[in-house]
Amino acid sequence: MPAMRRRSSTVRQDGIGAARRAVTLVAVALLLVQAHGCWLAATAPVDPSLGRLQGSQVTHTVGTLLAVAATAALLLLGIVAFGVRTRRWAAVVDAALLATGAVLAIALLVIDHVVSDEGVLTNRAAGALLSGAPVYDAPWPHLFTGLIPVTPTMDGGIDDTYGYPPGAVLLVAGFRAVAGHASIAPAAVGTVALLAIALTAWLAVPVEWRSLVTIIVLGVEVLPADARAGFPSVIALALLVPVLVRWHRIGEGGRLGRGGVLRGVLLGAACGTQQLAWFLVPFLLAGLLSLRLPEVGVRRTAGLLARFAAVAAGACVLLNAPFLLTEPVRWAKGMLLLLTQGAIPHGQGILEVARLLTGGSGALWASTAAGLAALLGLLAGMLLLPERLAPALPLLPFAPFFVGPRSAWEYFLVFSCLWIVTALTVPRGAFDGAWRPLPVHTDRLGAALIALLLAPAAALVAVALLTPAPFVVRAAAARTAGGAVTEVEVAVANRSGTALRPHFLWSAGTTPSTWWPVRSGPLAVPPGATAHYVLRPPSASVARRAAGSGSLASLVVFTDRPATMTVTAMPAASPG
């Protein structure tokens, strides 16, 4: 009996809980999926016209062997995870899983790095920087050939200029100058950022949850794919992880300290890399205001936040300085491009209801306003209810994208690593004594206040969804030849009170094409009139896809001023 008691005590002290063991096994399973993806990429022939760059035969042989070796290692680690009994050996398994995930990420980078619109533009901007050409407000339409996506704009154009802060461009240009591999540069920089995210977050969270970081960063094919695509948001995330680790301690005691200065620099660098980081700044400052006011008072809190904001702004300006000094007007246009480009609605947000069920919307402006109203409502809610909303800091700034016109799923998921880091390093109890201007003592009152703050956004969403589309569109015929659509005849009736200039594109599911040129038809449709248009596909690939798209296909008609969207079913293709 004494021996049994000693063993039981040892198990309680060093034993591995079921939750930790389960998280480790989930990490094994998801990394096995990644190993399978690596094997598929290494063994299957890759067509460069599909938007991927193919490596050499040696590269693919090495990639195949790495996938096989990773599979064997993961199976072994899974077996060990079932039987491990001590925390030390559990930590070894967690570290081995992280290393295996890193090897798979590097292997996928070399074998199959995907070409995306953001990666292509970043690489072209880096090349322009190295050659002394303008980086901003320089159109590069030739980049968007084949299946490389392009962002159509409401006025019938496309976004073919660089519209992000210069952080990613500087890093990619540095890689190209040192390594000389231009084609892989954005993917390589993104993968280095991915590995930095994994290591920083893995070291920051409690030991028992480290495999959860491996799952989110390396196991789920979101961040690894975005890194290989060269998205600047991955670089911004690498800079933001150290900022939000135990962020509630920034400025404790009224002192910024070296750690606070470093976080400010990293926050500014993230803002100098991707605009999504901008949305995080006011929420972070609001959270720090609520925490520091009761601790050090109004005056010291104001000085503390001013110093922190000044450090971040200084770092951001420093990154932008070369462009601000050499091409100030072009730089300003690039920084504001995401706000001024007028991109068409796209994503998995509330406007999908209008696209699929109501035939479009005659008030897309209301969706944009709803996103802004939701952002301001959640920011006000964080100030009024910090103990309830401040813990959700890494998600609050991006949730309003759901009701806006640009609601791509990457906006929600690209910073998901920050959710885990914040949830595991910032205790909920840290906000129990936070300052709040209104006494809200019950959950029911808190929910009512949040609903009141979000009511303007809800009303604007209703306007966007219930305002009827301005056109009645009847797609009369779609003619085909050789398995491809050659032209589409459309009758467009304008039931609004103003003349409208229509722009047409084809969509299958949620994937829009670029604009379909008008072969014949008027420039604008007068109020109350009906106009007839003959459209032709913009490319051979779109023509083939349109011919075989079936019942999911739709013809979408946009106008710019006012911003509207009209959706109708694409007619069945017929030879002719």
Side-chain angles (χ1 to χ4, degrees), residues 256-347:
L256 197 57
R258 293 181 179 177
V261 171
L262 177 60
R263 292 171 192 250
V265 170
L266 293 174
L267 178 62
C271 291
T273 301
Q274 223 276 355
Q275 287 96 332
L276 284 176
W278 299 359
F279 294 86
L280 186 67
V281 174
F283 286 85
L284 179 58
L285 292 177
L288 293 176
L289 175 69
S290 299
L291 288 171
R292 299 286 85 87
L293 266 180
E295 180 188 11
V296 300
V298 175
R299 184 175 179 179
R300 292 185 67 186
T301 298
L304 173 71
L305 295 184
R307 292 193 300 274
F308 183 70
V311 170
C316 185
V317 170
L318 186 63
L319 272 179
N320 285 273
F323 309 93
L324 181 59
L325 295 175
T326 59
E327 44 180 306
V329 176
R330 290 175 175 270
W331 169 83
K333 289 182 179 180
M335 292 302 96
L336 297 176
L337 184 63
L338 293 186
L339 302 177
T340 62
Q341 67 183 173
I344 67 169
H346 175 66

Side-chain angles (χ1 to χ4, degrees), residues 183-201:
S183 63
I184 203 174
V189 171
T191 300
V192 171
L194 175 75
L195 299 181
I197 293 166
L199 182 60
T200 305

